[in-house]
């Protein structure tokens, strides 16, 4: 059974940092493209970052130079390191598995989400 479990969210002040984790089971993360997707309060889903099986990465412009994605194959876990956080980064962050190794594949599994709140 495929499962994605996010953790690491919380309350942080503007300018602070957080690292989100997505622990996967039931499949091998290095064989698939994996994404982080967020949903701000009252808004729709926004794709944030993706890493494919060849370690190629791409991201939304609003997080350039502040966020990065990584993968620990031994732990079968994907991370999102978030630095210089802004209030507009507030939202629920979801880990999503693509149906293949390619970045343009549709998502087939999602985690339950972890709340990130950036506020004073």
């Amino acid at each position: 059974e495929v499962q994605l479990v996010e953790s690491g969210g919380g309350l942080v002040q503007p300018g602070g940092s957080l690292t989100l984790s997505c622990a996967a089971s039931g499949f091998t993360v290095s064989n698939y493209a994996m994404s982080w997707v967020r949903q701000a309060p009252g808004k729709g889903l926004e794709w944030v970052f993706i890493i494919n099986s060849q370690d190629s990465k791409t991201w939304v412009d609003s997080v350039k130079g502040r966020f990065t994605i990584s993968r620990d194959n031994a732990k079968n876990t994907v991370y999102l390191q978030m630095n210089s956080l802004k209030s507009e980064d507030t939202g629920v962050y979801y880990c999503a598995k693509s149906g293949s190794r390619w970045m343009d594949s549709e998502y087939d599994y999602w985690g339950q989400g972890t709340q990130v709140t950036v506020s004073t």
Side-chain angles (χ1 to χ4, degrees):
E1 178 188 5
V2 172
Q3 284 193 320
L4 299 170
V5 180
E6 300 99 333
S7 61
L11 173 64
V12 63
Q13 292 187 345
S17 298
L18 281 175
T19 299
L20 307 183
S21 300
C22 172
S25 59
F27 72 103
T28 302
V29 294
S30 60
N31 291 339
Y32 294 88
M34 298 293 297
S35 295
W36 286 96
V37 180
R38 67 186 177 187
Q39 186 168 29
K43 297 189 177 180
L45 293 171
E46 177 187 40
W47 164 78
V48 177
F49 228 119
I50 188 169
I51 182 170
N52 73 4
S53 60
Q54 283 97 15
D55 284 343
S56 292
K57 305 169 186 178
T58 191
W59 52 88
V60 67
D61 283 347
S62 61
V63 306
K64 183 180 180 180
R66 302 188 299 121
F67 291 13
T68 191
I69 195 170
S70 62
R71 186 177 57 219
D72 185 329
N73 294 337
K75 294 183 178 179
N76 212 36
T77 297
V78 178
Y79 301 96
L80 184 68
Q81 174 68 46
M82 305 186 295
N83 300 321
S84 302
L85 282 160
K86 304 176 181 180
S87 58
E88 51 263 44
D89 295 318
T90 294
V92 179
Y93 283 69
Y94 298 93
C95 175
K97 171 188 172 293
S98 294
S100 78
R101 66 179 66 184
W102 309 115
M103 289 185 180
D104 59 355
S105 301
E106 293 185 357
Y107 301 131
D108 55 5
Y109 289 94
W110 294 75
Q112 83 288 351
T114 186
Q115 176 70 45
V116 172
T117 302
V118 185
S119 175
T120 55

